[in-house]
Amino acid sequence: LQKELLKCKQEARNLQGIKDALQQRLIQQDASVLQLKQELLRANMDKEELQNQNADLQRKVEERNRLLAEYKKELCQKDRHLQQHQTKLDEMLRQLSEANYQQVDLERELEHREALLAHCMKKEAEE
């Protein structure tokens, strides 16, 4: 019986050692699971933050695209106005050029008439 008791005690010690080792392994696995859960939580928070940043950037891009479209529209309108003003300016320059030609012609005619008048006055004075 003593041999059997020693054998049972030895078996009990072996089982206790196995139990302790398994408990230690379970504690390590629980710590690993907890660490993985924390990493998963951090990863999910990072993912959510990135999604929020992405949405914010998308809104900013859409706003800038809207502003760009408005600026392009304004630029087209200003180009049209500029073209209209350029056309008016060209017409005014043409009219000014014509007026200058007419002024030169009138000045020549005036000089001619003044010369004729001077000539007539000279003839009249001589007579």
Side-chain angles (χ1 to χ4, degrees):
L1 282 174
Q2 271 194 335
K3 279 184 184 181
E4 216 174 294
L5 178 61
L6 283 174
K7 189 178 177 185
C8 284
K9 283 183 181 181
Q10 182 65 33
E11 194 176 317
R13 273 186 243 131
N14 285 342
L15 288 174
Q16 186 63 40
I18 292 172
K19 179 184 171 191
D20 289 344
L22 288 174
Q23 282 180 333
Q24 187 63 29
R25 189 169 172 200
L26 183 61
I27 289 171
Q28 288 174 347
Q29 287 178 346
D30 283 346
S32 294
V33 167
L34 182 60
Q35 184 181 358
L36 289 172
K37 284 182 179 180
Q38 288 174 345
E39 288 176 12
L40 180 63
L41 180 62
R42 268 189 244 116
N44 284 336
M45 289 172 59
D46 290 344
K47 179 183 173 187
E48 189 174 314
E49 183 178 341
L50 288 173
Q51 286 174 338
N52 289 339
Q53 288 177 358
N54 191 27
D56 188 44
L57 289 173
Q58 190 65 34
R59 279 190 300 274
K60 288 179 181 179
V61 165
E62 289 171 3
E63 176 66 16
R64 288 196 174 120
N65 285 341
R66 185 187 64 76
L67 287 173
L68 182 61
E70 287 179 18
Y71 293 148
K72 284 181 180 178
K73 183 179 177 182
E74 287 177 18
L75 186 59
C76 287
Q77 289 175 347
K78 288 180 180 182
D79 281 345
R80 268 184 271 138
H81 287 123
L82 183 62
Q83 185 64 37
Q84 290 171 355
H85 291 306
Q86 184 66 42
T87 303
K88 287 179 184 177
L89 179 61
D90 290 344
E91 178 62 24
M92 288 179 180
L93 287 173
R94 187 189 62 74
Q95 289 175 355
L96 179 62
S97 178
E98 286 179 12
N100 283 337
Y101 287 133
Q102 288 176 356
Q103 181 180 359
V104 168
D105 286 344
L106 289 174
E107 286 174 355
R108 275 192 220 131
E109 187 177 331
L110 179 62
E111 288 172 4
H112 180 67
R113 288 186 182 191
E114 285 176 348
L116 284 176
L117 180 62
H119 182 66
C120 287
M121 294 284 274
K122 186 179 177 185
K123 273 189 175 182
E124 193 176 297
E126 288 175 0
E127 292 176 356

